[in-house]
C-alpha cells in the first residue's frame, strides 16, 4: 500500500494464505489497480515476462523457518528455493541476471 501511495499504482500482490489475500483485498478495495492473488510461489500462474520488477518480501524466510543454519540448508530447502527463484526469474521482463545466478 505504501508503494501505491507513492505512485506505483499497478501492483500485483501474491500470498500463499487465502486469509491474508482476502483481508488485504478488502482493506484496499478502493485501490483499483492493486490486485491480490492467492498462489504458491513454486507454481506461479503468470506468463513469462509478465512483470517489469518482482519484489520478494518474506517468502524465502518463511520457507527456511525450520532450517537450523541459514548457511547450510537442507537439500529439500535448496530444491524449494531453486524452484521459487526460477519462477520469479521467468516472470520478470528482464530475467534479472542476479536471480538467474542465484537460481543456478
Amino acid at each position: 500500500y505504501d508503494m501505491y501511495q507513492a505512485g506505483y499504482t499497478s501492483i500485483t500482490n501474491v500470498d500463499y494464505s487465502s486469509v491474508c489475500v482476502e483481508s488485504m483485498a478488502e482493506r484496499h478495495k478502493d485501490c483499483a489497480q492493486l490486485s491480490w492473488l492467492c498462489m504458491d510461489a513454486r507454481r506461479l500462474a503468470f506468463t513469462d515476462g509478465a512483470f517489469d520488477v518482482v519484489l520478494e518480501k518474506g517468502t524465502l524466510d518463511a520457507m527456511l523457518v525450520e532450517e537450523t543454519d541459514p548457511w547450510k540448508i537442507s537439500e529439500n530447502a535448496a530444491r524449494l528455493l531453486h524452484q521459487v527463484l526460477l519462477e520469479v526469474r521467468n516472470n520478470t521482463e528482464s530475467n534479472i541476471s542476479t536471480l538467474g545466478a542465484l537460481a543456478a
Side-chain angles (χ1 to χ4, degrees):
Y1 182 72
D2 291 338
M3 289 177 60
Y4 184 88
Q5 292 293 95
Y8 301 96
T9 55
S10 181
I11 301 173
T12 301
N13 300 279
V14 177
D15 198 284
Y16 184 76
S17 167
S18 60
V19 172
C20 176
V21 168
E22 291 168 12
S23 172
M24 295 304 285
E26 177 62 26
R27 181 183 299 173
H28 301 295
K29 64 185 173 192
D30 296 333
C31 304
Q33 289 183 286
L34 286 183
S35 64
W36 303 89
L37 304 170
C38 186
M39 278 189 224
D40 185 323
R42 297 168 292 176
R43 290 178 295 283
L44 297 172
F46 301 110
T47 59
D48 289 354
F51 299 101
D52 295 326
V53 176
V54 173
L55 300 176
E56 190 288 324
K57 182 185 172 291
T59 303
L60 300 179
D61 288 340
M63 287 188 240
L64 295 175
V65 72
E66 293 183 11
E67 296 294 311
T68 57
D69 184 345
W71 305 111
K72 296 178 185 172
I73 62 172
S74 68
E75 193 172 315
N76 285 339
R79 276 194 301 272
L80 175 64
L81 293 174
H82 177 78
Q83 186 178 8
V84 169
L85 289 172
L86 283 175
E87 283 289 316
V88 169
R89 183 185 68 184
N90 289 341
N91 286 286
T92 57
E93 178 68 28
S94 63
N95 290 323
I96 301 167
S97 62
T98 303
L99 289 177
L102 289 172

